[in-house]
Amino acid sequence: MDIRTSVDAAKMSPLKLAIYAGLCLLVFIAPIWFQGFGQLFLVRILAIVGIYVMLALGLNIVVGYAGLLDLGYIAFYAIGAYTGILGGLPLSHWLAATFPQYPWLPGMSYFIMIPFAALAGAITGITLGTPVLRLRGDYLAIVTLGFGEIVRIALNNNIFGITNGAAGLPKAGESVPKPFPLEWLQNHLYFSWPNFGSTGFNFTFTANVYWYYIIVLLCVFTIFVVRRLDDSRLGRSWTAMREDEVAAASMGINITGAKLYAFSLGALWGGMAGITFANFQGFVSPESFTFMESVFVVSIIVLGGMGSVPGAIVGALVIQGVPELIRGMASSGLLQTLTGIQVSAEAQSAISNYRYLVFGALMVIMMAWKPQGILPSKRRARELAPESEAALDESNQTLYDAQHDTAHPGEDR
């Protein structure tokens, strides 16, 4: 394939452009629509899904591109969250006391602290990656799992007296400041159409809508960076290292540097998602960073498709969006409205408790039916499901001939 053919093949068709434009419009309108009709929990669910999209894209760097199984990724998420609260609260107090003429300035503490939370995650990733560079496979998974539990237990035990233990942060009497310009938007951005639909359309800008759009912007930025990384020399080094580490090293790839880049860049996005989660919730505690959260993030990229950006988005919608949607519909009464069936308090509790049973069954079925994921990367799809058995046999025969030189058996080698 020559250069011109490659460039032409990479161009988007009008149909694909129209699909992307429609998706962008849907992403923009969805929270306004849900908020206007009073389904506030749906806006919150979409924001939570967006946070898990960021986590999945960050872990995809480590697992999907570099092939390093990390079961303690949630530790970087926790470090970013606690860094954001521990640094953001004093910063907001200092800004309020130093610049009282600018009452909106304390609300900038979240945006000021984002680079510091990301940097804290990246430094932690390098700290973890340096001593475990020689490990791979199950051994690496066990070490990262232990690291995640160490971080959670340390936070729960009020390490250095700053994490407030199981009570979480912020402490009693403190609160996370509203981010700029949320308060102005709440006071000025509202409209209603009383005759629209049976209940009318009443939209008021809320904190959930604000954080939804912030998270969407961060996800777009993450997707852009991850795609650039995948197409870079570093991304090709990760792919070679994932396929065969020994062969990659023999071709001149710096395995140590590639692993450290993977750990640090993946942890960087974990820290960024952590500070966003902490400010979105307005509260953070060790219970939000259990081992099961790491399992969920790994499941997102495996179910969606390792090394695939669209797969990470779809996986987050399925694994985090669907269970939360079922629970929200049961608790809000929407499930009863849609089905016409009376849902008791006991039934609501049962639905909330067993929603992960349905999710687990779907995971098993999906992995048996399509092991490469829902939307796998093209490279991984070809690896797990070649276009035809004949092409696979031909490739294997070519490799065999090259290794055994069957074409010239009598010649000295």
Side-chain angles (χ1 to χ4, degrees):
M1 184 181 291
D2 60 17
I3 294 176
R4 180 176 298 177
T5 306
S6 300
V7 172
D8 291 340
K11 292 180 179 178
M12 283 190 183
S13 64
L15 176 61
K16 186 174 289 188
L17 283 173
I19 292 173
Y20 279 127
L23 288 175
C24 291
L25 184 62
L26 178 64
V27 168
F28 178 78
I29 291 178
I32 300 175
W33 183 269
F34 294 142
Q35 181 77 31
F37 285 109
Q39 302 302 330
L40 310 183
F41 76 96
L42 291 175
V43 182
R44 189 170 184 84
I45 288 173
L46 289 175
I48 293 173
V49 168
I51 291 175
Y52 276 87
V53 168
M54 291 175 59
L55 286 173
L57 291 172
L59 185 59
N60 228 349
I61 295 175
V62 184
V63 178
Y65 296 149
L68 305 171
L69 184 55
D70 187 352
L71 293 181
Y73 186 72
I74 211 67
F76 310 122
Y77 185 44
I79 288 169
Y82 273 84
T83 300
I85 296 294
L86 291 172
L89 286 177
L91 177 62
S92 64
H93 296 331
W94 179 82
L95 290 173
T98 308
F99 304 100
Q101 67 273 27
Y102 303 113
W104 52 268
L105 202 53
M108 294 296 294
S109 59
Y110 162 72
F111 300 100
I112 296 172
M113 287 301 300
I114 283 181
F116 295 97
L119 184 62
I123 292 174
T124 308
I126 295 174
T127 304
L128 171 64
T130 301
V132 300
L133 289 177
R134 294 182 177 273
L135 301 178
R136 64 182 73 175
D138 300 339
Y139 302 100
L140 179 62
I142 292 171
V143 170
T144 55
L145 187 156
F147 174 74
E149 285 300 290
I150 288 171
V151 170
R152 184 186 64 81
I153 293 171
L155 295 174
N156 201 46
N157 289 340
N158 195 17
I159 184 171
F160 303 130
I162 60 175
T163 64
N164 203 29
L169 293 173
K171 298 178 181 179
E174 296 182 336
S175 61
V176 177
K178 289 185 178 182
F180 176 81
L182 173 58
E183 193 167 359
W184 184 90
L185 291 170
Q186 287 177 324
N187 295 331
H188 294 84
L189 192 55
Y190 52 87
F191 54 88
S192 64
W193 295 326
N195 299 324
F196 189 84
S198 58
T199 60
F201 187 88
N202 301 288
F203 175 81
T204 301
F205 201 94
T206 63
N208 287 336
V209 176
Y210 176 88
W211 283 112
Y212 169 85
Y213 286 118
I214 291 293
I215 291 168
V216 166
L217 290 175
L218 289 174
C219 286
V220 171
F221 175 65
T222 305
I223 291 170
F224 172 78
V225 174
V226 169
R227 291 296 297 269
R228 294 300 92 200
L229 285 172
D230 187 28
D231 293 336
S232 66
R233 174 180 289 185
L234 179 60
R236 293 193 292 273
S237 299
W238 286 336
T239 302
M241 183 177 68
R242 184 192 69 200
E243 297 303 321
D244 193 323
E245 191 172 310
V246 176
S250 67
M251 295 301 293
I253 293 175
N254 185 351
I255 299 298
T256 300
K259 284 185 176 181
L260 285 178
Y261 270 118
F263 269 109
S264 61
L265 289 172
L268 184 146
W269 296 112
M272 191 177 298
I275 185 175
T276 304
F277 168 77
N279 282 266
F280 170 60
Q281 293 282 96
F283 175 78
V284 64
S285 72
E287 296 303 317
S288 300
F289 310 107
T290 61
F291 169 66
M292 284 307 299
E293 295 298 320
S294 286
V295 173
F296 287 146
V297 181
V298 173
S299 300
I300 286 171
I301 61 175
V302 172
L303 181 66
M306 287 197 291
S308 170
V309 171
I313 298 172
V314 172
L317 284 170
V318 172
I319 290 181
Q320 282 298 320
V322 173
E324 292 298 325
L325 178 63
I326 295 173
R327 181 171 65 176
M329 290 175 66
S331 60
S332 68
L334 184 60
L335 188 64
Q336 177 178 329
T337 302
L338 294 175
T339 60
I341 301 173
Q342 183 70 27
V343 182
S344 63
E346 293 77 8
Q348 291 180 13
S349 178
I351 290 173
S352 297
N353 291 334
Y354 286 98
R355 69 191 190 280
Y356 285 117
L357 179 63
V358 178
F359 148 70
L362 291 175
M363 282 277 293
V364 173
I365 295 171
M366 186 65 202
M367 289 298 98
W369 172 55
K370 199 172 183 182
Q372 66 267 34
I374 300 174
L375 292 175
S377 66
K378 293 181 180 179
R379 183 187 297 119
R380 186 167 180 81
R382 286 194 297 267
E383 292 172 359
L384 295 179
E387 295 179 358
S388 65
E389 292 296 330
L392 181 62
D393 292 340
E394 182 180 353
S395 176
N396 290 337
Q397 184 63 41
T398 302
L399 290 173
Y400 180 85
D401 293 342
Q403 290 175 356
H404 297 82
D405 199 8
T406 56
H408 305 88
E411 295 182 5
D412 293 334
R413 299 194 294 270

